[in-house]
Amino acid sequence: MRDGLVLGLIPETWRFELTQFPWVRRLLKSRWMPLGLILFNVFLFTVILMAGFFGGLTSPGNYNFGIMIVWILWWVLLMTVLVPVLSRFWCTMCPLPFLGEWLQRLRLFGVRYERGRNLYFGLNKRWPKSLSNMWLMNILFLATTFASGFFTVRPAATFVLLAAIIALSVVLSLIYRARTFCLYVCPVSGFQGLYSNFALTEVRVKDPEICARHKTKGCVVGNERGYGCPWLLLPYAFRRNTYCGMCFECLKTCEYDNMAVNLRPPGVDLLVDEKRGLDEAYKALIMLGIAVVFFVTFQGPWGTLKDWANAATLSGYLAFIGLHASWNLIVLPAIFLLFTWVARRAARQAVPLKKVYVNFSYATVPLGLAAWIAFSLGIILPNGSYLLHVLSDPFAWGWDLFGTAHFPWTPVLTGIMPYLMILTLLVGLLFSIDIALKIARQTFVEPEAAVRDAFPILGFLGATTFGLMWLFVG
Amino acid sequence: MKRSLAELSPQEVLTVAIWIEERNARIYENYAEMFEWYEPDAARAFREMAEEEREHGRRLAALYAGRYGEAACEVTDADIQELVEVPVVEDGEALIYDRASRRQAFDVGVQAERRARAFYAELVERTADPALRALFDELARVESEHEAFFVRKLAEVDPSENA
Ligand code: SF4
Ligand code: SF4
């Protein structure tokens, strides 16, 4: 697979500007975007919180609106469509930081701007430098998955999780600047950021020369049309999707209409050889590891494991947490370390092991994403029909709003589901191989030996894929 | 239509050079504003650089006055093809990782001055007109003094400050 081409087919530099269409640009420059979407989701999440609250600890998960919308519909949409296609578009419309941001701005619709800068309510402190990375999100996401067995069966668990996230985001918004909560704390932010590097969509500057000549840089400092990038990026310069929350403020603030939303080939940001770090490497491996644990626990044939995760007994639950944490934090990273060590030995070059480890971890992203898409298929195809039920009777109070409250459980395409999962994984593997070969060329100085140098990593990717396939078919 | 610097008269080149110093002072001031909220130390460094650029501009203006007196000349950098000596903070994620520092700020200045010096030096090679050549040579020398100034500032920054 040649450098400069994705899968040897599409130029990495290929872009199709969606904002070239006047109506798209007008829509994204309107202050109703994304406010309208957020308000809709605020309404939806209010119903979800109520369903979680009233559903308590006992009502069956498959008949609870909160559980079905969050863990079936939202999760599946997030993993199969939103992140791989639209990057962090969920962050565009996420209702969780809504209250905090509203308080910071003290405006729902307009822009607070005086004497050359945006005004914010609150202390606007800087987040500690030592926490300005993905480590906290790695830990919080992993910790959240410890309770994964509860989320799908106990509505109150979903209520507690969402309410805690909203409360924390409000408190942090009043103390820290901009979207600190989203950047460094939100448990689902880290993987969205990393996996968005694979996405087909991006917000980017059009002509860097215009920015270079532009003196006032409204995209950073804000102006009367919008806020300086709430995600603390320098919009005229960033090169990866990781931290772009797709809020479209920079489209509103740029005086030259020099920001664009583009379609692009998948995976190109994974090749950006800057800002790579151990925190993101761990994020990639943890996501892959959790996908394996979830398959084994929730879709595998081992009922005991599922009982452990559901806390049928305290000792079983503690065993689940212990195994889950050590697999993700120690065992899988150590296995990957072994493979990268072999790759470095094979390359016989004095590249620091940490650099080899971190660089190649980005090659696991397409495979990790594919594993999550496959896992999501295993959720939605058998269980999707429950959604019709809960839409009609969200609080399990015997309502029948849309006449679908008694729709029977109807699994869809479950006969071919394992093959769909395998196909998804193989596509992910293909992209991972492509990225691994290119990263080998970036990391080691002998580009012509990329296949040899990447061979151990290809081995890791292949073994992981076959392991997962065995789980599906098994 | 935009012209290349090599196609301008010496008077126009000097005017553009003065304009560039003023433009850069504004850009540095703006970076100072951008960073004020996040990283006051980096903002301070940018303000120092803005002041220095203004001083460079004043010196070039004195040179212009000595040669051409009050004669006005309207050309600006928007009229020329090349993008000369634009200071750019290229680390788009600097604020996210809290990595903006005085060191980074001065480094932006060093890079801009270095590019400008190389740019004028190349024009010396390419230009046949002796008067213009002499002016480019002079500007390359001035830029190398500026570069030395920013390198000195960079060296003064405590090496333990975040890189
Ligand atoms: S406001 Fe527009 S032109 Fe100016 S720096 Fe930002 S993106 Fe570039
Ligand atoms: S660069 Fe910043 S302002 Fe622009 S869409 Fe991304 S997060 Fe929003």
mmCIF file of all heavy atoms in Angstrom, chain A residues 387-421:
data_model
loop_
_atom_site.group_PDB
_atom_site.id
_atom_site.type_symbol
_atom_site.label_atom_id
_atom_site.label_comp_id
_atom_site.label_asym_id
_atom_site.label_seq_id
_atom_site.Cartn_x
_atom_site.Cartn_y
_atom_site.Cartn_z
ATOM 1 N N LEU A 387 -37.079 -0.958 21.103
ATOM 2 C CA LEU A 387 -37.169 0.498 21.017
ATOM 3 C C LEU A 387 -38.602 0.948 20.727
ATOM 4 O O LEU A 387 -39.075 1.949 21.260
ATOM 5 C CB LEU A 387 -36.244 1.026 19.904
ATOM 6 C CG LEU A 387 -34.759 1.078 20.254
ATOM 7 C CD1 LEU A 387 -33.917 1.276 19.002
ATOM 8 C CD2 LEU A 387 -34.497 2.204 21.254
ATOM 9 N N LEU A 388 -39.279 0.181 19.852
ATOM 10 C CA LEU A 388 -40.655 0.539 19.489
ATOM 11 C C LEU A 388 -41.551 0.507 20.727
ATOM 12 O O LEU A 388 -42.423 1.358 20.905
ATOM 13 C CB LEU A 388 -41.184 -0.426 18.423
ATOM 14 C CG LEU A 388 -40.461 -0.344 17.082
ATOM 15 C CD1 LEU A 388 -40.901 -1.467 16.161
ATOM 16 C CD2 LEU A 388 -40.743 1.013 16.433
ATOM 17 N N HIS A 389 -41.283 -0.461 21.577
ATOM 18 C CA HIS A 389 -42.089 -0.582 22.792
ATOM 19 C C HIS A 389 -41.894 0.631 23.701
ATOM 20 O O HIS A 389 -42.853 1.277 24.109
ATOM 21 C CB HIS A 389 -41.714 -1.869 23.537
ATOM 22 C CG HIS A 389 -42.321 -1.951 24.900
ATOM 23 N ND1 HIS A 389 -43.545 -2.522 25.121
ATOM 24 C CD2 HIS A 389 -41.887 -1.483 26.094
ATOM 25 C CE1 HIS A 389 -43.837 -2.420 26.405
ATOM 26 N NE2 HIS A 389 -42.846 -1.787 27.014
ATOM 27 N N VAL A 390 -40.609 0.958 23.984
ATOM 28 C CA VAL A 390 -40.370 2.030 24.966
ATOM 29 C C VAL A 390 -40.732 3.418 24.427
ATOM 30 O O VAL A 390 -41.006 4.327 25.205
ATOM 31 C CB VAL A 390 -38.913 2.037 25.473
ATOM 32 C CG1 VAL A 390 -38.593 0.778 26.233
ATOM 33 C CG2 VAL A 390 -37.924 2.270 24.348
ATOM 34 N N LEU A 391 -40.733 3.569 23.103
ATOM 35 C CA LEU A 391 -41.146 4.867 22.559
ATOM 36 C C LEU A 391 -42.608 5.145 22.915
ATOM 37 O O LEU A 391 -42.988 6.276 23.214
ATOM 38 C CB LEU A 391 -40.987 4.890 21.029
ATOM 39 C CG LEU A 391 -39.578 5.196 20.513
ATOM 40 C CD1 LEU A 391 -39.550 5.117 18.995
ATOM 41 C CD2 LEU A 391 -39.107 6.567 20.985
ATOM 42 N N SER A 392 -43.409 4.092 22.903
ATOM 43 C CA SER A 392 -44.834 4.263 23.210
ATOM 44 C C SER A 392 -45.117 4.324 24.704
ATOM 45 O O SER A 392 -46.088 4.941 25.131
ATOM 46 C CB SER A 392 -45.649 3.114 22.598
ATOM 47 O OG SER A 392 -45.947 3.393 21.250
ATOM 48 N N ASP A 393 -44.253 3.692 25.489
ATOM 49 C CA ASP A 393 -44.518 3.648 26.938
ATOM 50 C C ASP A 393 -43.225 3.955 27.707
ATOM 51 O O ASP A 393 -42.660 3.082 28.369
ATOM 52 C CB ASP A 393 -45.045 2.238 27.300
ATOM 53 C CG ASP A 393 -45.532 2.174 28.741
ATOM 54 O OD1 ASP A 393 -45.674 3.248 29.371
ATOM 55 O OD2 ASP A 393 -45.741 1.053 29.232
ATOM 56 N N PRO A 394 -42.750 5.226 27.649
ATOM 57 C CA PRO A 394 -41.404 5.545 28.153
ATOM 58 C C PRO A 394 -41.220 5.296 29.651
ATOM 59 O O PRO A 394 -40.122 4.967 30.087
ATOM 60 C CB PRO A 394 -41.231 7.028 27.810
ATOM 61 C CG PRO A 394 -42.584 7.552 27.500
ATOM 62 C CD PRO A 394 -43.389 6.395 27.030
ATOM 63 N N PHE A 395 -42.269 5.486 30.457
ATOM 64 C CA PHE A 395 -42.078 5.335 31.906
ATOM 65 C C PHE A 395 -42.654 4.020 32.443
ATOM 66 O O PHE A 395 -42.783 3.854 33.657
ATOM 67 C CB PHE A 395 -42.731 6.512 32.651
ATOM 68 C CG PHE A 395 -42.248 7.850 32.156
ATOM 69 C CD1 PHE A 395 -43.140 8.800 31.681
ATOM 70 C CD2 PHE A 395 -40.893 8.142 32.134
ATOM 71 C CE1 PHE A 395 -42.692 10.022 31.204
ATOM 72 C CE2 PHE A 395 -40.432 9.365 31.664
ATOM 73 C CZ PHE A 395 -41.321 10.300 31.194
ATOM 74 N N ALA A 396 -42.990 3.097 31.524
ATOM 75 C CA ALA A 396 -43.606 1.818 31.918
ATOM 76 C C ALA A 396 -44.855 2.047 32.758
ATOM 77 O O ALA A 396 -45.087 1.380 33.766
ATOM 78 C CB ALA A 396 -42.595 0.937 32.664
ATOM 79 N N TRP A 397 -45.670 3.045 32.341
ATOM 80 C CA TRP A 397 -46.896 3.355 33.071
ATOM 81 C C TRP A 397 -48.128 2.844 32.316
ATOM 82 O O TRP A 397 -49.248 3.298 32.555
ATOM 83 C CB TRP A 397 -47.028 4.883 33.259
ATOM 84 C CG TRP A 397 -46.094 5.427 34.317
ATOM 85 C CD1 TRP A 397 -45.378 4.706 35.222
ATOM 86 C CD2 TRP A 397 -45.784 6.805 34.559
ATOM 87 N NE1 TRP A 397 -44.631 5.535 36.022
ATOM 88 C CE2 TRP A 397 -44.854 6.837 35.635
ATOM 89 C CE3 TRP A 397 -46.171 8.016 33.981
ATOM 90 C CZ2 TRP A 397 -44.321 8.018 36.143
ATOM 91 C CZ3 TRP A 397 -45.643 9.183 34.496
ATOM 92 C CH2 TRP A 397 -44.727 9.191 35.564
ATOM 93 N N GLY A 398 -47.892 1.971 31.338
ATOM 94 C CA GLY A 398 -49.021 1.410 30.596
ATOM 95 C C GLY A 398 -49.501 2.285 29.453
ATOM 96 O O GLY A 398 -50.576 2.075 28.905
ATOM 97 N N TRP A 399 -48.720 3.314 29.064
ATOM 98 C CA TRP A 399 -49.118 4.165 27.934
ATOM 99 C C TRP A 399 -48.948 3.414 26.615
ATOM 100 O O TRP A 399 -48.247 2.412 26.546
ATOM 101 C CB TRP A 399 -48.233 5.417 27.869
ATOM 102 C CG TRP A 399 -48.381 6.371 29.024
ATOM 103 C CD1 TRP A 399 -49.253 6.261 30.061
ATOM 104 C CD2 TRP A 399 -47.615 7.558 29.245
ATOM 105 N NE1 TRP A 399 -49.098 7.306 30.929
ATOM 106 C CE2 TRP A 399 -48.093 8.131 30.452
ATOM 107 C CE3 TRP A 399 -46.594 8.206 28.566
ATOM 108 C CZ2 TRP A 399 -47.573 9.306 30.977
ATOM 109 C CZ3 TRP A 399 -46.078 9.375 29.083
ATOM 110 C CH2 TRP A 399 -46.557 9.927 30.276
ATOM 111 N N ASP A 400 -49.578 3.977 25.563
ATOM 112 C CA ASP A 400 -49.360 3.427 24.226
ATOM 113 C C ASP A 400 -49.400 4.592 23.228
ATOM 114 O O ASP A 400 -50.295 4.688 22.388
ATOM 115 C CB ASP A 400 -50.441 2.372 23.906
ATOM 116 C CG ASP A 400 -50.051 1.557 22.673
ATOM 117 O OD1 ASP A 400 -48.937 1.789 22.124
ATOM 118 O OD2 ASP A 400 -50.856 0.708 22.246
ATOM 119 N N LEU A 401 -48.415 5.491 23.352
ATOM 120 C CA LEU A 401 -48.433 6.764 22.614
ATOM 121 C C LEU A 401 -48.496 6.578 21.100
ATOM 122 O O LEU A 401 -49.205 7.294 20.410
ATOM 123 C CB LEU A 401 -47.181 7.587 22.965
ATOM 124 C CG LEU A 401 -47.081 8.097 24.406
ATOM 125 C CD1 LEU A 401 -45.738 8.777 24.641
ATOM 126 C CD2 LEU A 401 -48.219 9.068 24.701
ATOM 127 N N PHE A 402 -47.729 5.649 20.570
ATOM 128 C CA PHE A 402 -47.669 5.484 19.100
ATOM 129 C C PHE A 402 -48.249 4.146 18.639
ATOM 130 O O PHE A 402 -48.022 3.717 17.510
ATOM 131 C CB PHE A 402 -46.211 5.608 18.612
ATOM 132 C CG PHE A 402 -45.553 6.887 19.046
ATOM 133 C CD1 PHE A 402 -44.588 6.891 20.044
ATOM 134 C CD2 PHE A 402 -45.918 8.092 18.462
ATOM 135 C CE1 PHE A 402 -43.995 8.075 20.452
ATOM 136 C CE2 PHE A 402 -45.325 9.285 18.868
ATOM 137 C CZ PHE A 402 -44.367 9.280 19.869
ATOM 138 N N GLY A 403 -48.947 3.472 19.524
ATOM 139 C CA GLY A 403 -49.561 2.187 19.160
ATOM 140 C C GLY A 403 -48.564 1.053 19.000
ATOM 141 O O GLY A 403 -48.863 0.023 18.385
ATOM 142 N N THR A 404 -47.348 1.216 19.550
ATOM 143 C CA THR A 404 -46.336 0.158 19.391
ATOM 144 C C THR A 404 -45.943 -0.461 20.733
ATOM 145 O O THR A 404 -44.961 -1.196 20.819
ATOM 146 C CB THR A 404 -45.057 0.719 18.730
ATOM 147 O OG1 THR A 404 -44.609 1.854 19.497
ATOM 148 C CG2 THR A 404 -45.293 1.145 17.300
ATOM 149 N N ALA A 405 -46.723 -0.151 21.770
ATOM 150 C CA ALA A 405 -46.349 -0.619 23.116
ATOM 151 C C ALA A 405 -46.351 -2.146 23.210
ATOM 152 O O ALA A 405 -45.663 -2.715 24.056
ATOM 153 C CB ALA A 405 -47.300 -0.032 24.152
ATOM 154 N N HIS A 406 -47.109 -2.805 22.360
ATOM 155 C CA HIS A 406 -47.175 -4.267 22.459
ATOM 156 C C HIS A 406 -46.469 -4.954 21.305
ATOM 157 O O HIS A 406 -46.691 -6.139 21.039
ATOM 158 C CB HIS A 406 -48.648 -4.702 22.547
ATOM 159 C CG HIS A 406 -49.350 -4.033 23.689
ATOM 160 N ND1 HIS A 406 -49.074 -4.346 24.998
ATOM 161 C CD2 HIS A 406 -50.262 -3.017 23.713
ATOM 162 C CE1 HIS A 406 -49.803 -3.570 25.789
ATOM 163 N NE2 HIS A 406 -50.516 -2.749 25.029
ATOM 164 N N PHE A 407 -45.608 -4.205 20.620
ATOM 165 C CA PHE A 407 -44.847 -4.797 19.510
ATOM 166 C C PHE A 407 -43.981 -5.937 20.049
ATOM 167 O O PHE A 407 -43.246 -5.751 21.023
ATOM 168 C CB PHE A 407 -43.959 -3.714 18.873
ATOM 169 C CG PHE A 407 -43.388 -4.119 17.541
ATOM 170 C CD1 PHE A 407 -44.111 -3.951 16.365
ATOM 171 C CD2 PHE A 407 -42.123 -4.687 17.463
ATOM 172 C CE1 PHE A 407 -43.584 -4.335 15.146
ATOM 173 C CE2 PHE A 407 -41.587 -5.075 16.245
ATOM 174 C CZ PHE A 407 -42.323 -4.894 15.079
ATOM 175 N N PRO A 408 -44.089 -7.131 19.474
ATOM 176 C CA PRO A 408 -43.352 -8.271 20.053
ATOM 177 C C PRO A 408 -41.845 -8.159 19.784
ATOM 178 O O PRO A 408 -41.419 -7.500 18.834
ATOM 179 C CB PRO A 408 -43.945 -9.476 19.313
ATOM 180 C CG PRO A 408 -44.454 -8.920 18.031
ATOM 181 C CD PRO A 408 -44.855 -7.503 18.279
ATOM 182 N N TRP A 409 -41.092 -8.828 20.607
ATOM 183 C CA TRP A 409 -39.632 -8.871 20.413
ATOM 184 C C TRP A 409 -39.343 -9.522 19.062
ATOM 185 O O TRP A 409 -39.753 -10.646 18.801
ATOM 186 C CB TRP A 409 -38.988 -9.680 21.544
ATOM 187 C CG TRP A 409 -37.514 -9.869 21.358
ATOM 188 C CD1 TRP A 409 -36.597 -8.909 21.093
ATOM 189 C CD2 TRP A 409 -36.792 -11.104 21.411
ATOM 190 N NE1 TRP A 409 -35.342 -9.448 20.995
ATOM 191 C CE2 TRP A 409 -35.426 -10.817 21.182
ATOM 192 C CE3 TRP A 409 -37.159 -12.441 21.643
ATOM 193 C CZ2 TRP A 409 -34.433 -11.775 21.156
ATOM 194 C CZ3 TRP A 409 -36.154 -13.402 21.630
ATOM 195 C CH2 TRP A 409 -34.814 -13.073 21.385
ATOM 196 N N THR A 410 -38.657 -8.795 18.180
ATOM 197 C CA THR A 410 -38.414 -9.300 16.827
ATOM 198 C C THR A 410 -36.937 -9.134 16.463
ATOM 199 O O THR A 410 -36.531 -8.064 16.000
ATOM 200 C CB THR A 410 -39.269 -8.522 15.795
ATOM 201 O OG1 THR A 410 -40.595 -8.400 16.303
ATOM 202 C CG2 THR A 410 -39.276 -9.200 14.441
ATOM 203 N N PRO A 411 -36.133 -10.159 16.680
ATOM 204 C CA PRO A 411 -34.725 -10.044 16.277
ATOM 205 C C PRO A 411 -34.619 -9.900 14.762
ATOM 206 O O PRO A 411 -35.419 -10.456 14.016
ATOM 207 C CB PRO A 411 -34.109 -11.370 16.736
ATOM 208 C CG PRO A 411 -35.098 -11.990 17.642
ATOM 209 C CD PRO A 411 -36.442 -11.466 17.260
ATOM 210 N N VAL A 412 -33.623 -9.130 14.315
ATOM 211 C CA VAL A 412 -33.464 -8.869 12.873
ATOM 212 C C VAL A 412 -32.095 -9.373 12.422
ATOM 213 O O VAL A 412 -31.078 -9.083 13.062
ATOM 214 C CB VAL A 412 -33.577 -7.347 12.601
ATOM 215 C CG1 VAL A 412 -33.401 -7.055 11.124
ATOM 216 C CG2 VAL A 412 -34.903 -6.806 13.097
ATOM 217 N N LEU A 413 -32.076 -10.107 11.334
ATOM 218 C CA LEU A 413 -30.826 -10.564 10.685
ATOM 219 C C LEU A 413 -29.866 -11.295 11.621
ATOM 220 O O LEU A 413 -28.660 -11.304 11.393
ATOM 221 C CB LEU A 413 -30.081 -9.362 10.063
ATOM 222 C CG LEU A 413 -30.758 -8.612 8.921
ATOM 223 C CD1 LEU A 413 -29.901 -7.433 8.491
ATOM 224 C CD2 LEU A 413 -31.011 -9.522 7.736
ATOM 225 N N THR A 414 -30.387 -11.877 12.672
ATOM 226 C CA THR A 414 -29.465 -12.507 13.627
ATOM 227 C C THR A 414 -28.792 -13.747 13.016
ATOM 228 O O THR A 414 -27.714 -14.141 13.470
ATOM 229 C CB THR A 414 -30.208 -12.894 14.929
ATOM 230 O OG1 THR A 414 -31.492 -13.406 14.583
ATOM 231 C CG2 THR A 414 -30.384 -11.698 15.826
ATOM 232 N N GLY A 415 -29.426 -14.331 11.976
ATOM 233 C CA GLY A 415 -28.825 -15.502 11.324
ATOM 234 C C GLY A 415 -27.488 -15.167 10.675
ATOM 235 O O GLY A 415 -26.545 -15.967 10.716
ATOM 236 N N ILE A 416 -27.420 -13.985 10.073
ATOM 237 C CA ILE A 416 -26.160 -13.642 9.393
ATOM 238 C C ILE A 416 -25.296 -12.690 10.229
ATOM 239 O O ILE A 416 -24.265 -12.204 9.776
ATOM 240 C CB ILE A 416 -26.412 -13.025 7.997
ATOM 241 C CG1 ILE A 416 -27.282 -11.769 8.116
ATOM 242 C CG2 ILE A 416 -27.005 -14.033 7.041
ATOM 243 C CD1 ILE A 416 -27.228 -10.903 6.855
ATOM 244 N N MET A 417 -25.753 -12.434 11.456
ATOM 245 C CA MET A 417 -25.043 -11.461 12.295
ATOM 246 C C MET A 417 -23.549 -11.777 12.462
ATOM 247 O O MET A 417 -22.709 -10.885 12.294
ATOM 248 C CB MET A 417 -25.728 -11.364 13.651
ATOM 249 C CG MET A 417 -25.295 -10.174 14.457
ATOM 250 S SD MET A 417 -26.309 -10.016 15.920
ATOM 251 C CE MET A 417 -25.630 -11.316 16.938
ATOM 252 N N PRO A 418 -23.190 -13.042 12.754
ATOM 253 C CA PRO A 418 -21.747 -13.318 12.933
ATOM 254 C C PRO A 418 -20.940 -12.961 11.688
ATOM 255 O O PRO A 418 -19.818 -12.472 11.795
ATOM 256 C CB PRO A 418 -21.703 -14.818 13.200
ATOM 257 C CG PRO A 418 -23.061 -15.166 13.693
ATOM 258 C CD PRO A 418 -24.008 -14.228 13.014
ATOM 259 N N TYR A 419 -21.549 -13.175 10.517
ATOM 260 C CA TYR A 419 -20.800 -12.893 9.285
ATOM 261 C C TYR A 419 -20.664 -11.385 9.057
ATOM 262 O O TYR A 419 -19.635 -10.908 8.580
ATOM 263 C CB TYR A 419 -21.473 -13.594 8.099
ATOM 264 C CG TYR A 419 -21.630 -15.065 8.382
ATOM 265 C CD1 TYR A 419 -22.856 -15.604 8.753
ATOM 266 C CD2 TYR A 419 -20.506 -15.900 8.380
ATOM 267 C CE1 TYR A 419 -22.981 -16.943 9.090
ATOM 268 C CE2 TYR A 419 -20.622 -17.243 8.713
ATOM 269 C CZ TYR A 419 -21.861 -17.752 9.065
ATOM 270 O OH TYR A 419 -21.967 -19.071 9.411
ATOM 271 N N LEU A 420 -21.723 -10.657 9.428
ATOM 272 C CA LEU A 420 -21.625 -9.192 9.335
ATOM 273 C C LEU A 420 -20.526 -8.687 10.271
ATOM 274 O O LEU A 420 -19.754 -7.782 9.938
ATOM 275 C CB LEU A 420 -22.961 -8.539 9.720
ATOM 276 C CG LEU A 420 -24.123 -8.728 8.750
ATOM 277 C CD1 LEU A 420 -25.395 -8.076 9.298
ATOM 278 C CD2 LEU A 420 -23.789 -8.121 7.390
ATOM 279 N N MET A 421 -20.474 -9.312 11.447
ATOM 280 C CA MET A 421 -19.451 -8.904 12.419
ATOM 281 C C MET A 421 -18.056 -9.199 11.878
ATOM 282 O O MET A 421 -17.137 -8.376 11.982
ATOM 283 C CB MET A 421 -19.665 -9.643 13.748
ATOM 284 C CG MET A 421 -20.884 -9.196 14.515
ATOM 285 S SD MET A 421 -21.227 -10.411 15.794
ATOM 286 C CE MET A 421 -21.641 -9.378 17.160
#
